[in-house]
Amino acid sequence: MNKPKVLVARSIFPETIARLEEHFEVEANQGDESWTKAQLIAKLKGKQGVFTTGSERIDAEVLDACPGLKICANMAVGYNNFDIDAMTARGVLGTNAPDVLTETTADFGFALLMATARRIAESEHFLRAGKWEKWSFDMFAGSDIHGSTLGIVGMGRIGQGIAKRGAHGFGMKVIYHNRSRLDAQLEAECKATYVGKEELLKTADHVVLVVPYTPASHHTIGAAEIALMKPTATLINIARGGIVDDAALAVALRDKRIAAAGLDVFEGEPKVNPELLKVPNVVLTPHIASATVPTRRAMADLAVDNLIGYLVHNKPVTPLNPTVLATR
Ligand code: GLV
């Protein structure tokens, strides 16, 4: 019997390819070529599955051009690169990679918060540039983490992980805003208090964004929201580019409307708004919140489990649009 055909859209661990090859005829991209949409479509024709990393856009045009496609397995928890409605309408399953990256990403959110509030990147650049000639009392004085108020926007698994680190590890007062309120037990575990978005922005010393990107969450933080924040506050975005209006944030940082920001994700990444590159009070990292070797392996494994689960056993592990399963 012919093996199903699978495309791996980006370079990945050799072991991931080897696992896929046990079950599928695999076309890989180990040279990590950047494909245009037309090239992606050409590669996808005749394939039943695709392994994506979160940067490949799968929309109606791609799906219509590749009618044999049955599953798109994202090696990411976020899946705003998928037009999930278009996939569902065409009976194509989408899967993502939740849970396996929660703690690693929460660690990173906390690391970025600390680097930002304590001005670690800025002071390191200063030292490397040979500018450290003498100590002074206010040199790179930042703001405290311990005992301060942490405001989390988006209280899913990663938000909860950050809340626990803040409350239990650093004695922070945790407030959060979310589409829906957590149940009482989860709130108690996170020591977190539900507040409205405006109250959160006005009261928090540190605001961390962990909401999924949807048209409704576009520019959750823009000039008007920044204007509500304390001038001493920090803003951390580990969610998705587009959740923050990066142009408005660059102006606010330049004018010291808020003290500092830490950004792992950007509107239009890998391009970064050039105005952000000009301000010193921002820590910039290239979308690496889940980047530890064990976690990246676990994410790749979960995407493979989904491809095997669906194409071989008809049982995906983490389906995003399970109604597709009923219609198969
Ligand atoms: C990373 O951004 C992810 O969504 O997994």
Side-chain angles (χ1 to χ4, degrees):
M1 206 178 79
N2 285 343
K3 287 178 173 177
K5 294 190 172 75
V6 162
L7 177 71
V8 183
R10 297 290 308 275
S11 79
I12 195 64
F13 301 105
E15 296 83 352
T16 308
I17 304 290
R19 265 194 81 203
L20 287 167
E21 281 173 345
E22 287 171 23
H23 301 272
F24 307 118
E25 200 177 300
V26 179
E27 180 171 350
N29 181 12
Q30 292 301 72
D32 211 26
E33 285 170 25
S34 299
W35 295 332
T36 60
K37 192 176 206 181
Q39 287 170 317
L40 175 66
I41 289 174
K43 300 272 180 194
L44 265 182
K45 279 190 192 290
K47 306 288 192 304
Q48 284 78 58
V50 61
F51 179 118
T52 51
T53 61
S55 29
E56 300 72 41
R57 175 100 189 118
I58 306 288
D59 59 14
E61 186 188 344
V62 173
L63 296 166
D64 287 341
C66 309
L69 193 61
K70 292 188 168 64
I71 170 172
C72 305
N74 227 22
M75 180 196 154
V77 65
Y79 53 91
N80 54 310
N81 57 317
F82 289 171
D83 181 339
I84 204 76
D85 291 339
M87 287 168 67
T88 307
R90 289 159 184 79
V92 177
L93 188 77
T95 64
N96 68 340
D99 301 320
V100 290
L101 47 60
T102 300
E103 298 304 326
T104 295
T105 304
D107 280 351
F108 185 87
F110 223 86
L112 191 54
L113 167 58
M114 297 198 74
T116 304
R118 295 303 308 274
R119 305 177 64 179
I120 289 176
E122 197 185 344
S123 60
E124 204 226 1
H125 294 153
F126 168 88
L127 184 150
R128 280 183 189 272
K131 294 182 182 166
W132 188 23
E133 285 163 7
K134 58 179 185 212
W135 181 91
S136 70
F137 76 99
D138 60 350
M139 193 166 71
F140 297 107
S143 55
D144 275 323
I145 300 290
H146 73 274
S148 64
T149 299
L150 172 61
I152 301 176
V153 182
M155 200 61 155
R157 291 160 287 216
I158 298 169
Q160 291 168 34
I162 292 170
K164 287 178 191 157
R165 283 159 177 76
H168 301 292
F170 291 82
M172 297 174 94
K173 177 180 172 199
V174 180
I175 54 177
Y176 76 98
H177 185 69
N178 198 42
R179 265 176 313 180
S180 51
R181 200 172 157 169
L182 298 186
D183 66 35
Q185 191 191 330
L186 273 181
E187 279 191 356
E189 281 170 24
C190 297
K191 288 199 184 173
T193 304
Y194 182 82
V195 294
K197 183 175 157 193
E198 192 171 322
E199 184 183 341
L200 183 144
L201 292 171
K202 283 182 175 165
T203 358
D205 296 305
H206 308 289
V207 176
V208 180
L209 306 171
V210 212
V211 275
Y213 183 83
T214 64
S217 63
H218 183 74
H219 287 186
T220 295
I221 301 292
E225 288 74 21
I226 294 170
L228 296 174
M229 294 173 66
K230 295 180 182 179
T232 49
T234 58
L235 176 70
I236 306 298
N237 185 9
I238 56 163
R240 271 291 181 274
I243 301 286
V244 173
D245 178 344
D246 286 350
L249 177 61
V251 171
L253 289 168
R254 185 199 63 198
D255 297 348
K256 306 263 173 36
R257 252 310 290 129
I258 58 172
L263 307 174
D264 186 49
V265 286
F266 303 87
E267 285 189 284
E269 63 184 52
K271 291 204 178 85
V272 174
N273 186 312
E275 297 305 311
L276 283 172
L277 300 174
K278 291 184 194 161
V279 288
N281 47 344
V282 61
V283 182
L284 307 165
T285 52
H287 202 147
I288 56 165
S290 65
T292 66
V293 176
T295 292
R296 285 286 160 88
R297 283 195 188 280
M299 292 163 73
D301 276 341
L302 185 47
V304 173
D305 291 344
N306 273 305
L307 286 162
I308 298 170
Y310 191 46
L311 291 176
V312 180
H313 307 295
N314 204 20
K315 268 203 177 78
V317 190
T318 50
L320 292 166
N321 50 350
T323 50
V324 164
L325 302 172
T327 57
R328 214 183 161 200

